[in-house]
Amino acid sequence: MIKPEVVADHNQKQAPTLEADYAALGEKLARRGVDIEQLTRAADTFAVALPSWGVGTGGTRFARFPGPGEPRNIFEKLDDCSVIHQLSQATPTVSLHIPWDRPDDPKALLEYAQARNLAFDAMNSNTFQDQADQAYSYKYGSLTHTSEAVRQQAIEHNVEVVELGKKLGSKALTVWIGDGSNFPGQQHFRNSFAHYLDSARAIYDALPDDWNMLLEHKMFEPAFYSTVIQDWGSSYLAARETGERCLSLVDLGHHAPNVNIEMIVSRLAQFGKLGGFHFNDSKYGDDDLDSGSIDPYQLFLVFNELVDIQQADSAFAPFYMLDQSHNVTDPIESLMYSAAEVQRAFVKALLVDREALLGYQNSSDPLMAQATLKQAFNLDVEPVLQMARQRAGGAIDPIAAYRASEYRQSVARDRPQSGQSGSGIV
Ligand code: RM4
Ligand code: MN
Ligand code: MN
């Protein structure tokens, strides 16, 4: 972790400016009837999981350019995740990907995480790639394969991931499969979906009572003609057929261009089936760009729905994870910045005057309805985020504190370059 003195020194220098900005914002909010202290406490409750694979350099499917000091194993990945949480105070959990980050000794990994104030979030299985020691290939599918033996192998992998997750204190399994087809006629649509339902039920049966199973849809890729769980409709149907604790997971990058994602959020939640969220941003497809980097207003509109649902149902608590691929930035910086962007969208959504909005909706005043949303979105809530971080022991400006700490330079010395510059994966 970064030396507490480095963070303290950074905060001390920034504190006078923050105090002034916070006081000014407090006055402004008070004129709107909002208590800034309440908002800051709410900001502090925000948490989003880090993907274990996110602290490495991702890349594109063409190439990957490894950065200095890349973590070489899951323990080093946890070190990086703990730095992200130390400075941002918004990422207390890590979502593990199996087999990419399969621990040999789960107990040792749990202790290592706990010593760094980290816990484990949803587990991610992987049947979109072949592993060296497996009997059957997933080239033509996994949970939906025409061969029962292949399906069984994929089911068993998911069950093994659940067993591992139990030892780590996780409470959910996220299932994303790449199953689909590249040619019309290649796959029987109804049969493959029927196989999916059977496989999902078999996995669900192995789930502990206090676990959720999260089904992630994705429109295309790696299958380019058809994908079995391609949209929220398929994911909803599968979750509904599988069981009560089986829910849908929405990844911001997994939709057709221009799709109204905030409406999908609303629909799934209305029927009790929204279980999780993967944050990232995109311009064209599943680009996995940093959250809020392309369309922060969309991120805000998504949170506008999430907050609206949360206020109506306090038990609503979806699993949140950042799902990004870093190719040209330091992943630690990107993940800290993204966590703050998602937190910012959450805080702004809390500022929406819901009573006024409902009034404008009911009196058919579209201009003022959208102006009510914009009033919250346009306000700069940075001092609230900074104050929440500082009070929790984080850095007022996480990126500046991280750069001042020279953490990357120091791990670059301890972790020699792996030399792998092959194609990217996420
Ligand atoms: C997929 C999907 C999954 C992620 C993999 C690596 O596109 O977003 O959530 O685990 O990529
Ligand atoms: Mn995802
Ligand atoms: Mn994705």
Side-chain angles (χ1 to χ4, degrees), residues 216 218 251 254 280 286 288 323:
E216 180 175 3
K218 174 165 165 169
D251 181 312
H254 293 188
N280 50 51
D286 187 27
D288 285 338
D323 191 3

Side-chain angles (χ1 to χ4, degrees), residues 381-392:
V381 297
E382 184 67 19
V384 168
L385 301 181
Q386 294 182 340
M387 190 59 90
R389 274 197 295 270
Q390 187 201 30
R391 288 181 183 169

Side-chain angles (χ1 to χ4, degrees), residues 275-317:
F277 229 97
H278 282 180
F279 296 102
N280 50 51
D281 215 334
S282 61
K283 184 82 179 154
Y284 303 102
D286 187 27
D287 306 330
D288 285 338
L289 297 174
D290 288 14
S291 301
S293 62
I294 305 290
D295 192 351
Y297 191 50
Q298 182 190 54
L299 190 59
F300 164 79
L301 292 175
V302 163
F303 266 99
N304 178 48
E305 294 305 322
L306 292 169
V307 165
D308 194 69
I309 301 155
Q310 243 146 26
Q311 290 183 353
D313 171 12
S314 58
F316 176 71

